[in-house]
Amino acid sequence: MGVVTRLINMGRFKSIKCADIEIRLHSEKEMSQSKVMRAFLDLLLYYCFSSAAYSSLYSSSCQLKGQFHLNGMHKTGDVILGGLFTVNFISTDPDLSFTSEPQKPDCYGFNIVGFRLAQTMAFTIDEINRNSNLLPDVTLGYSLFDNCAQLGIGFRAALTLVSGQEEQVTLKENCVGTPPVLGIVGGATSRRTIAISTVLGLYRMPLVSYYASCSCLSDRQKFPSFFRTIPSDAFQVNAMIQILKHFGWTWAGLLINDSDYGFHAARSFHSDLGPAGGGCLAYTEILPQGDDPAEVRRIVDVMRKSTARVVIVFANNFMINLMKEVVRQNVTGLQWIVSAAWTSADVLQTPHFMPYLGGTLGIAIRRGEIPGFRDFLLQIRPDLHHNNTDGNSMVNQFWEHTFHCRFAPPPAGWVEAGGELCTGQEVIENVETDLVDVSDLRPEYNVYKTVYTLAYALDDMLQCEPGRGPFSNNTCAHLQRLEPWQIMHYLEKVNFTTTFGDQVSFDENGEALPVYDIMNWVWLPDGLTKVQIVGEVKRSVFKGEELTLDEDKIFWNFESKQPPQSVCSESCPPGTRMARKKGEPECCFDCVPCSEGKISNTTDSMECTSCPEDFWSSPQHDHCVPKKTEFLSYHEPLGICLTTISLLGTFICVVVLGIFIHHHNTPIVRANNSELSFLLLVSLKLCFLCSLLFIGRPRLWTCQLRHAAFGISFVLCVSCILVKTMVVLAVFKASKPGGESSLKWFGAMQQRGTVLVLTSVQAAICTAWLVSASPVPHKNTQYHSGWIVYECAVGSTVGFAVLLGYIGLLAVLSCLLAFLARNLPDSFNEAKLITFSMLIFCAVWVAFIPSYISSPGKYADAVEVFAILASSFGLLVALFGPKCYIILFRPERNTKKAIMGRGIGS
């Protein structure tokens, strides 16, 4: 090798070729870039020379050690699409003793639906090839294989599609070219699709499923090359939840089968039913695989005892044994909701089961129309040039199944037993076969969309403009060097509308826009069964999820012919809230009435809401009403009584004042300063009138004026009494020898001045109070939650206390002075009357304080009004009653002589 390296370095070799592998050295510059390159070339040349020596014994080609013999159907084309379908249900297990080469498994149990799905793909490719607007310069071909409902056979078919099936592969000068297939249509079940997609995802080979619905396949990290045109089970679960929500079924049972299909659905139901539909599951049971009568009996017993009237079935098998037990136990009155796997199951739509399953609602794959498909199926012809192990053996197997014949060479003993040989000239129209029934194309329509998805992706790729491609350096993919991962890019962006009007595009998880039909099992009077479409649920780009139901068409298998009720607890009416039952699902609850002041105006409220401050709950606690208001009103008996007494006192004051004015020249009026008596009567009248400010709804001006008027009026009144008492004492003192000088301090001017000064002090107190912390109207809700007590907040308790204290001070002083003058001669003594009146006044106001503090709401105002009226009447009666008695009824005593001789009290 060292010699070769030196020759390369000298530029003697520009191209070396061995065993059809060519190494081109384009320039001397490239040959001398590094020592690493030289070492690599030494190794590669060693491999070439060794291969050249070895090729003398073996040819330059690869021979397959073995080949999978699979039931299939093929068509050549520029681009081949693969397909995996379940054409047979059963396969034989090969001998694995390994004493001889294991034989290929035989498949039997022909599945006419699986064969029709395969023919749908063949028809769709044929339709695309005839379409001049889609892939105009490319002819599509197909390789379709039967997986025999076995994962192992499905793996063999998938690997055959990916790696090719040529028996001999000749090594060419370069290892580039189009792979055997560019995409695979398939995955009839989730379990097999999960396994196959895991392997295909390693090579980014697109696998577009028409039937694998497990939500686990949405995981882009685990299944990077998986797409599907059937909605995932997550959307199917959501569709069922939408139905439950629509009919108000919040309590349901769930039956699943023992597989990923069932487990993922159960997980979705448990996580989504509550938040999305407000419901919960009464039970979740796993249907046993195989024959397990005890377990089936237990499950049906759970269903019978449960209060849930709705049963959700999310299973793709094992329903027959369950329904037999349902019939045996006669479990009726259930509303069934079944997944797409059972919606169209003819085996359950029998007179034996329909009394129990009639009215079933089911989720079904979208039904579509495929024009020309029936004519295509009628033109199917067997391949007479290949036996059943090669070529289009699917068609031959269908032919034998349909016409009950065998192609030559027939199995041993077939002819001897009276069996017929197939000629290939049989007419499909002359026999009854489900193959040509195209009235309810559902999975077939998904296959149709799936093939078009790959075709549109390939068409978009071929329309790429050089220099503007999506790949590195803005390159485009080429048909001659196409890689499956390049198709992936265009699949993610595909967007088209079928002739049936359905839009097809994929989201970031490879999910197509989901749509399901809602089916209803109708049990007809003649005993026959009809499965009809009653609605749809779909998700669109702009409108989101939509559920449409034609309830008038739905058949309900109940006497009422109405949808049943299925709830754990009845809805809580307005005025109550839901309280969860401990240890039970959230759908099971008690209805607890809302507390006072709180309401719930909707059914099934979780919490009661508090009413606004000025509102209170209605007796039913379903709405807020304005709170009742309370204040001392003119319209209530207490207010009317107090108002009447106040006006009566005012009237009496006016009458007494009139009497005094009319008899102002009489001695009894002129005695002890008639001017003070008139002023005292006016102040008493003001005291009576100020009580009216405490009655009626408090306003700002009444709150500010009531206490000020009350305080000033009473100070004026008590000041007059105090001055009169002081005058009595001064007159008595002046009557003694040497006491004449005391009268000069109590002339009329001094008396008026004293009253004015004492009253001004109270006016100053009231002014300071109003300026610093004025009383304001206040809505008090502390006394009673359902009432608003309108009252006047005093603003400043100190101000109110000083006002009352000043009145009390003057009253006590007057009382003391009058008490000191009680023993003076009656001829000069009005002190007894003043003493008595002031005792009444002080008693009333001493009793007022604790009563005022302890009285709530309007009664506090009533207590204050009563105190004002009681003290005012006490002063009026005690001071002016005797005088009015003499003036009106004993005029002979209203003389100076009588007054000077015997006094007013004799």
Side-chain angles (χ1 to χ4, degrees):
M1 287 192 296
V3 175
V4 175
T5 302
R6 284 194 296 273
L7 292 174
I8 292 173
N9 290 338
M10 294 172 62
R12 300 292 179 88
F13 292 163
K14 293 295 179 73
S15 177
I16 301 173
K17 183 176 182 181
C18 87
D20 291 328
I21 298 179
E22 184 177 20
I23 304 171
R24 297 186 183 277
L25 307 177
H26 296 289
S27 65
E28 295 182 1
K29 181 178 180 180
E30 289 179 347
M31 291 189 297
S32 58
Q33 283 185 349
S34 66
K35 294 181 179 180
V36 176
M37 181 62 75
R38 296 190 194 103
F40 171 72
L41 290 172
D42 284 347
L43 182 61
L44 190 56
L45 289 170
Y46 173 77
Y47 168 77
C48 291
F49 294 145
S50 299
S51 297
Y54 190 77
S55 64
S56 62
L57 299 176
Y58 300 95
S59 64
S60 58
S61 62
C62 295
Q63 187 76 24
L64 286 176
K65 299 292 291 181
Q67 189 177 28
F68 296 133
H69 296 285
L70 300 167
N71 187 22
M73 188 168 67
H74 310 279
K75 181 179 181 178
T76 60
D78 300 327
V79 176
I80 304 298
L81 300 181
L84 300 175
F85 301 93
T86 304
V87 180
N88 288 278
F89 281 127
I90 308 171
S91 66
T92 57
D93 295 327
D95 178 19
L96 299 179
S97 62
F98 299 107
T99 57
S100 62
E101 180 180 356
Q103 299 297 314
K104 74 179 182 84
D106 290 327
C107 297
Y108 60 96
F110 190 76
N111 175 21
I112 196 70
V113 175
F115 178 70
R116 187 166 59 203
L117 292 175
Q119 289 298 322
T120 303
M121 182 171 177
F123 166 80
T124 308
I125 289 178
D126 185 60
E127 182 179 85
I128 292 171
N129 287 336
R130 296 195 310 268
N131 188 347
S132 59
N133 296 320
L134 182 63
L135 297 174
D137 299 321
V138 176
T139 300
L140 293 180
Y142 54 79
S143 285
L144 313 182
F145 288 115
D146 176 17
N147 59 29
C148 299
Q150 294 294 323
L151 179 59
I153 297 176
F155 256 125
R156 292 187 181 100
L159 294 177
T160 298
L161 290 172
V162 173
S163 61
Q165 50 190 344
E166 293 85 356
E167 293 186 3
Q168 179 172 315
V169 180
T170 303
L171 298 177
K172 299 180 181 180
E173 293 185 356
N174 51 43
C175 294
V176 295
T178 303
V181 295
L182 290 180
I184 298 176
V185 174
T189 64
S190 296
R191 183 173 64 88
R192 291 191 290 272
T193 303
I194 290 170
I196 294 173
S197 183
T198 302
V199 175
L200 297 183
L202 299 174
Y203 305 100
R204 301 300 189 265
M205 170 63 72
L207 175 64
V208 189
S209 177
Y210 54 88
Y211 213 72
S213 58
C214 180
S215 55
C216 58
L217 287 164
S218 299
D219 190 339
R220 219 56 178 153
Q221 297 299 319
K222 293 182 179 179
F223 309 102
S225 64
F226 178 77
F227 298 83
R228 58 180 159 198
T229 54
I230 186 174
S232 73
D233 288 338
F235 183 76
Q236 187 172 184
V237 168
N238 191 58
M240 291 182 171
I241 292 174
Q242 293 295 324
I243 295 174
L244 295 174
K245 183 178 180 180
H246 179 84
F247 290 108
W249 297 330
T250 58
W251 189 234
L254 176 64
L255 305 179
I256 62 172
N257 64 340
D258 190 6
S259 67
D260 289 336
Y261 178 75
F263 295 147
H264 283 281
R267 190 178 300 118
S268 297
F269 268 111
H270 280 278
S271 61
D272 298 342
L273 182 57
C280 44
L281 295 174
Y283 53 85
T284 301
E285 297 292 341
I286 301 174
L287 298 176
Q289 297 188 22
D291 189 17
D292 191 348
E295 179 65 10
V296 172
R297 192 179 307 115
R298 185 194 66 80
I299 293 174
V300 175
D301 194 53
V302 170
M303 295 165 55
R304 180 174 54 83
K305 293 179 179 178
S306 175
T307 57
R309 296 294 86 197
V310 174
V311 180
I312 303 168
V313 181
F314 215 98
N316 52 14
N317 48 24
F318 315 126
M319 275 289 291
I320 295 296
N321 291 336
L322 177 80
M323 288 312 303
K324 288 180 180 179
E325 184 63 25
V326 167
V327 173
R328 192 189 71 80
Q329 295 192 27
N330 194 28
V331 182
T332 59
L334 297 180
Q335 175 63 48
W336 298 80
I337 301 179
V338 298
S339 62
W342 274 107
T343 296
S344 302
D346 296 338
V347 68
L348 294 177
Q349 299 169 17
T350 64
H352 186 59
F353 292 136
M354 283 306 291
Y356 304 88
L357 291 176
T360 294
L361 293 175
I363 305 297
I365 299 171
R366 174 75 159 182
R367 176 185 172 278
E369 298 284 350
I370 307 177
F373 184 43
R374 188 175 188 277
D375 294 336
F376 176 84
L377 294 175
L378 291 173
Q379 296 173 7
I380 293 175
R381 291 292 179 269
D383 187 352
L384 301 178
H385 303 288
H386 296 84
N387 59 29
N388 286 354
T389 61
D390 299 307
N392 296 333
S393 55
M394 279 187 191
V395 176
N396 291 2
Q397 192 174 11
F398 159 73
W399 209 262
E400 293 180 343
H401 170 79
T402 302
F403 295 102
H404 307 290
C405 60
R406 293 292 182 270
F407 284 100
W414 173 261
V415 176
E416 291 78 2
E420 297 183 1
L421 294 178
C422 299
T423 64
Q425 302 303 315
E426 295 84 357
V427 180
I428 296 178
E429 292 180 294
N430 294 339
V431 295
E432 279 193 21
T433 174
D434 292 336
L435 178 69
V436 295
D437 181 9
V438 295
S439 61
D440 193 37
L441 300 178
R442 296 184 184 277
E444 293 86 355
Y445 184 54
N446 272 355
V447 172
Y448 184 77
K449 291 189 293 184
T450 299
V451 176
Y452 264 100
T453 296
L454 289 166
Y456 272 104
L458 183 61
D459 186 63
D460 291 342
M461 184 200 70
L462 296 179
Q463 293 181 17
C464 175
E465 299 180 12
R468 302 180 64 180
F471 306 116
S472 59
N473 300 322
N474 296 325
T475 58
C476 296
H478 297 285
L479 191 60
Q480 292 73 22
R481 297 188 177 187
L482 188 60
E483 295 292 338
W485 61 265
Q486 293 173 318
I487 292 290
M488 288 276 299
H489 170 80
Y490 291 96
L491 271 175
E492 292 174 346
K493 299 183 180 302
V494 74
N495 191 339
F496 66 95
T497 302
T498 67
T499 55
F500 196 59
D502 290 328
Q503 182 182 2
V504 180
S505 63
F506 296 107
D507 63 11
E508 63 277 4
N509 296 321
E511 307 277 356
L513 290 174
V515 57
Y516 273 119
D517 287 337
I518 309 297
M519 311 300 292
N520 180 225
W521 292 12
V522 182
W523 189 22
L524 300 175
D526 58 2
L528 298 179
T529 301
K530 181 178 72 172
V531 180
Q532 63 179 2
I533 299 176
V534 294
E536 68 175 12
V537 58
K538 63 181 179 180
R539 180 188 299 151
S540 61
V541 177
F542 302 105
K543 295 183 180 180
E545 291 183 9
E546 293 181 285
L547 171 65
T548 305
L549 279 175
D550 187 354
E551 294 190 41
D552 295 335
K553 293 178 61 177
I554 298 178
F555 169 76
W556 302 107
N557 194 27
F558 305 96
E559 290 184 6
S560 63
K561 301 303 178 182
Q562 297 294 322
Q565 296 293 318
S566 185
V567 294
C568 181
S569 300
E570 292 293 336
S571 296
C572 289
T576 62
R577 65 175 178 85
M578 295 191 299
R580 288 277 304 277
K581 291 183 180 180
K582 187 176 181 180
E584 296 190 26
E586 61 182 11
C587 294
C588 302
F589 50 82
D590 293 319
C591 298
V592 180
C594 294
S595 58
E596 293 296 327
K598 293 186 175 183
I599 66 162
S600 66
N601 52 15
T602 60
T603 58
D604 295 336
S605 296
M606 295 299 297
E607 296 293 338
C608 297
T609 57
S610 299
C611 289
E613 182 180 4
D614 293 346
F615 290 82
W616 194 244
S617 56
S618 65
Q620 296 78 22
H621 294 275
D622 57 355
H623 67 282
C624 292
V625 296
K627 286 183 177 179
K628 295 181 179 180
T629 58
E630 181 182 87
F631 55 88
L632 190 57
S633 171
Y634 289 108
H635 305 290
E636 61 179 303
L638 181 59
I640 294 172
C641 182
L642 294 176
T643 301
T644 302
I645 296 173
S646 174
L647 295 177
L648 177 62
T650 304
F651 176 73
I652 294 174
C653 287
V654 172
V655 171
V656 172
L657 183 60
I659 293 172
F660 269 54
I661 292 175
H662 186 265
H663 299 88
H664 67 279
N665 290 323
T666 60
I668 200 167
V669 175
R670 296 181 62 185
N672 199 358
N673 195 339
S674 60
E675 185 179 339
L676 285 179
S677 296
F678 291 141
L679 187 59
L680 180 58
L681 283 170
V682 172
S683 65
L684 283 173
K685 184 173 69 172
L686 293 176
C687 289
F688 280 115
L689 290 175
C690 77
S691 64
L692 298 177
L693 294 172
F694 291 84
I695 304 174
R697 182 167 179 168
R699 311 287 183 185
L700 179 60
W701 67 273
T702 59
C703 289
Q704 292 175 337
L705 189 58
R706 62 168 56 172
H707 289 107
F710 154 71
I712 294 174
S713 299
F714 267 88
V715 165
L716 178 60
C717 180
V718 175
S719 298
C720 292
I721 295 172
L722 178 61
V723 171
K724 289 175 75 69
T725 306
M726 293 172 65
V727 168
V728 170
L729 289 174
V731 169
F732 176 74
K733 189 176 181 180
S735 65
K736 293 183 179 181
E740 296 83 357
S741 59
S742 60
L743 286 176
K744 67 179 181 179
W745 300 105
F746 291 97
M749 186 64 69
Q750 285 81 2
Q751 292 177 34
R752 288 193 293 268
T754 302
V755 172
L756 180 61
V757 170
L758 294 175
T759 305
S760 299
V761 172
Q762 184 72 306
I765 293 172
C766 291
T767 302
W769 180 17
L770 294 176
V771 171
S772 61
S774 173
V776 292
H778 173 61
K779 294 185 293 186
N780 195 326
T781 58
Q782 301 301 316
Y783 300 125
H784 192 286
S785 300
W787 293 72
I788 298 176
V789 178
Y790 285 97
E791 59 186 13
C792 288
V794 295
S796 172
T797 305
V798 174
F800 187 46
V802 171
L803 181 143
L804 292 178
Y806 184 64
I807 296 174
L809 176 63
L810 296 181
V812 170
L813 185 58
S814 299
C815 189
L816 289 175
L817 291 177
F819 181 77
L820 292 175
R822 73 187 186 284
N823 293 323
L824 296 178
D826 289 344
S827 300
F828 302 95
N829 194 0
E830 198 179 6
K832 287 184 179 180
L833 299 178
I834 295 175
T835 302
F836 182 66
S837 66
M838 295 313 299
L839 285 175
I840 296 174
F841 184 88
C842 291
V844 169
W845 287 102
V846 168
F848 159 76
I849 294 175
S851 300
Y852 181 82
I853 294 173
S854 61
S855 299
K858 65 179 182 180
Y859 297 104
D861 291 335
V863 167
E864 190 167 357
V865 172
F866 178 79
I868 293 172
L869 295 178
S871 58
S872 299
F873 270 110
L875 293 176
L876 179 62
V877 173
L879 293 175
F880 295 98
K883 293 181 180 182
C884 290
Y885 175 77
I886 292 173
I887 293 173
L888 296 177
F889 301 106
R890 301 292 295 273
E892 71 277 6
R893 296 177 61 180
N894 189 9
T895 62
K896 185 174 182 181
K897 180 180 178 180
I899 293 175
M900 296 299 292
R902 300 180 62 186
I904 64 174
S906 59

